Amino acid sequence: MKNRELIVEIANDEGKMADALAVRHTVFVVEQMIDEVLERDELDAEAIHVVGYLEAEPVAAGRAVIEGGSAKIGRMAVLKAQRGKGFGVDILQALEEACKDQGIWVARLNAQEHAAGFYSQAGYHRVEGTQPFLEAGIRHIMMKKDLSR
């Protein structure tokens, strides 16, 4: 998949997976100072991962964990120098397409509050009756989207 010079690929080998994890490390551990123990978890082994390349350099990543009949999208990361170019949209769309390919039609996520507008523009809605909560010391809100639309 190619869009605005970003090439998004499923991280289906060790090299692409290492690239995805490197982007996540830079954004979450280095920039946001999240403990590395919290950033990596056991769900990485079973998740669908995507990585976005700009001129062969990994600059964006995300994952989707299939849980029953829905997917939990997370670990969405774009390197700071590449933000504002639509690459997050590309990563999100690639994850949604990968979910639909597996027959998953509902996506959920815990959005950092400052990113809620980004997800709203992508069709996600706050889960009714939920309140903001802390995850890794950062305020989040629960959101979901019907992928069948």
Side-chain angles (χ1 to χ4, degrees):
M1 178 183 305
K2 184 175 180 175
N3 192 8
R4 291 179 301 279
E5 303 175 22
L6 189 76
I7 297 171
V8 180
E9 298 183 17
I10 300 289
N12 56 5
D13 64 39
E14 287 183 27
K16 290 175 188 163
M17 187 64 189
D19 289 344
L21 293 174
V23 170
R24 286 172 38 183
H25 179 86
T26 299
V27 171
F28 297 122
V29 177
V30 175
E31 182 182 327
Q32 295 184 353
M33 296 186 289
I34 293 171
D35 188 328
E36 192 163 12
V37 173
L38 297 176
E39 198 286 312
R40 298 275 314 269
D41 63 24
E42 67 283 350
L43 297 176
D44 279 331
E46 63 189 64
I48 299 166
H49 297 266
V50 298
V51 60
Y53 294 95
L54 184 62
E55 298 177 7
E57 291 297 318
V59 300
R63 78 176 189 188
V65 177
I66 308 301
E67 298 173 330
S70 68
K72 184 175 181 189
I73 292 177
R75 304 307 199 264
M76 292 278 299
V78 177
L79 296 181
K80 192 171 190 172
Q82 302 304 328
R83 291 183 194 146
K85 299 178 182 179
F87 298 157
V89 172
D90 296 336
I91 294 294
L92 187 58
Q93 287 175 344
L95 288 169
E96 290 173 353
E97 287 303 315
C99 291
K100 289 191 273 187
D101 288 346
Q102 295 206 15
I104 302 299
W105 301 103
V106 175
R108 301 173 292 109
L109 54 82
N110 294 337
Q112 291 184 7
E113 268 191 329
H114 71 85
F118 165 80
Y119 292 109
S120 290
Q121 288 181 334
Y124 286 79
H125 304 281
R126 186 175 183 159
V127 175
E128 289 185 39
T130 63
Q131 298 298 318
F133 60 95
L134 286 179
E135 185 172 65
I138 300 170
R139 286 177 58 91
H140 286 72
I141 61 171
M142 292 177 67
M143 302 182 85
K144 70 178 180 178
K145 178 179 180 179
D146 178 349
L147 299 178
S148 67
R149 295 181 187 181

